[in-house]
Structures are given as structure tokens and as C-alpha cells.
Amino acid sequence: MKLEIVKNSGGKVVLLFLGYSFLPECVKHLELGEFDLYVVYDYCDMKLDTSFLQGKELYLVAWSMGVWACSLALKGFEFKKAIAINGTPCGIDDEFGIAKMAFKKSIDEFDFDGFKKICFLKDLEKINFSFNKNAKLELENIYKNSDKKAIDSICWDKAIISKKDFVFPPKSCEWFKCQKEFINAPHFPFFYYKSFGEILEIPKR
């Protein structure tokens, strides 16, 4: 895994785990406000030195396969809030994730342009950022490590679920017992928010 520190003023830290193939610039439009931003991405290698997180006031936001990846990397950490978006700690899983056969097919019949189409749907023309140049290698490494799971390592406060998600089936998010928020968006949800503060907001019941 790679880490990019976008802002580091010594304040509250949004720790963002991105989905497969995405780079930190994909959230450059989101306002940070009072938050610093650390972004973890690129799962060509599953190792992550977490020593840089010690003593920080952490707000976790994990998206897509980043929900699975952060569950493996962040055992023992406590968060002020933990938000999962369009993903589960199960990752590749026939019931609570992306079906194993479908994931393997996406490697064997690798089509990154096709992936982008189902990821963004009508928002495809809004893309103004680049992607991991080693996308297939990243996909293969996620598959290779898919049996590694730590499903109970994080206490989630909210799961955001896109109704038009054709990558991570919305039904798989039934795994979550926390508060659920449904949005009218495709798998890539960040065009539907203006700030990280919006994503972290948990409505009172």
C-alpha cells in the first residue's frame, strides 16, 4: 500500500482508504475544512507501516476494496468515526462482497475501460484525474490475498451504500449492523459530496 499525506497541520485526520486503481487526486474536489488528510491506495503490495498514525485523532473513511484493506491493516486502532462506503471487510466473498468467480473473470478478461463505465455510469464525463498504471497487477494482488480477512477489526459507525452500484452489490452491505445511508449514486460516490464533513456526518436517529 502507498500513503500520500495531502494535508498535515497536526489536527484531526481523515484517513482515507481508496478503492482499487484509484489515486488520491480523485478526491481533490472535496473540502477538508478542519481536517487533515492521509490517503492510502494501491494494493499491489498489502504492507503498510502504521506507525505514522500513533497518537492521531483519526476519522476513517474507506471505500470499495479499501474497506477490506483497512480492516487488515488497522487492527487495534480506535477511531472517532469509521465510515464504510460501497464495500465490506469481506472483500471478495460470494455473500457479502464481490463474487469470487466474477472477480477472477475481471482479471482473465481485463477491461479497464469497461470497469470505469460501470464504476461511474453517467458520471464518466466528469473524470478529471488519472488511475494506477499498474491496475491489472493491483487486481491480481487483491485476488491473491483475498482469503485474508479481519472482519471484526473495526467498529463501523455508518455504511454508505450506492443504489446504482454495479461493482460491489448493494445487497452485500447487509453485512453491516451499523447505521446505513443509501445514496442515489454509482460505485464511485465522491462526486455526490462537497466535503469530508458531509461524508462523516451521522444523522441522529
Side-chain angles (χ1 to χ4, degrees):
M1 304 184 201
K2 294 179 181 177
L3 167 72
E4 182 169 317
I5 297 177
V6 177
K7 177 186 172 187
N8 188 24
S9 66
K12 301 174 181 179
V13 176
V14 169
L15 178 61
L16 173 64
F17 275 69
L18 288 175
Y20 147 76
S21 80
F22 282 78
L23 304 176
E25 62 187 271
C26 74
V27 293
K28 62 187 176 184
H29 67 286
L30 291 176
E31 297 172 8
L32 289 171
E34 62 181 325
F35 295 102
D36 290 346
L37 178 61
Y38 298 178
V39 184
V40 179
Y41 63 103
D42 192 344
Y43 307 121
C44 289
D45 182 336
M46 297 305 298
K47 295 175 183 175
L48 179 67
D49 179 4
T50 58
S51 60
F52 68 97
L53 298 175
Q54 299 296 333
K56 305 287 186 184
E57 186 176 340
L58 298 171
Y59 293 75
L60 177 64
V61 177
W63 169 56
S64 191
M65 290 305 291
V67 181
W68 164 76
C70 77
S71 298
L72 293 175
L74 301 175
K75 295 176 188 176
F77 280 90
E78 293 185 2
F79 304 96
K80 293 292 184 180
K81 291 181 182 178
I83 312 296
I85 309 174
N86 294 341
T88 73
C90 303
I92 299 172
D93 185 270
D94 288 343
E95 186 175 7
F96 295 119
I98 299 174
K100 194 163 189 174
M101 188 177 294
F103 200 97
K104 183 66 165 60
K105 184 178 180 181
S106 70
I107 297 172
D108 295 340
E109 301 175 12
F110 186 70
D111 176 11
F112 195 68
D113 286 336
F115 166 73
K116 286 195 290 185
K117 287 177 183 177
I118 63 169
C119 197
F120 291 92
L121 300 181
K122 66 181 178 61
D123 296 329
L124 194 64
E125 72 276 5
K126 296 181 182 179
I127 298 173
N128 60 351
F129 45 79
S130 55
F131 296 83
N132 187 353
K133 294 178 181 177
N134 297 313
K136 187 176 183 183
L137 177 62
E138 186 179 358
L139 201 65
E140 291 170 339
N141 195 54
I142 291 171
Y143 185 79
K144 186 175 73 174
N145 287 279
S146 62
D147 288 338
K148 299 176 183 176
K149 300 184 195 296
I151 60 173
D152 296 319
S153 64
I154 294 170
C155 182
W156 299 97
D157 295 292
K158 183 175 74 171
I160 297 173
I161 303 162
S162 288
K163 295 178 182 178
K164 299 177 181 177
D165 191 344
F166 293 102
V167 176
F168 226 104
K171 187 174 175 57
S172 68
C173 294
E174 291 177 0
W175 179 89
F176 289 100
K177 306 304 180 199
C178 60
Q179 187 169 337
K180 299 180 182 71
E181 178 181 302
F182 292 88
I183 59 174
N184 192 29
H187 184 64
F188 183 83
F190 297 111
F191 289 141
Y192 292 77
Y193 294 94
K194 293 181 179 179
S195 70
F196 279 101
E198 280 185 272
I199 294 171
L200 289 164
E201 185 178 336
I202 299 177
K204 293 180 181 179
R205 292 181 173 178

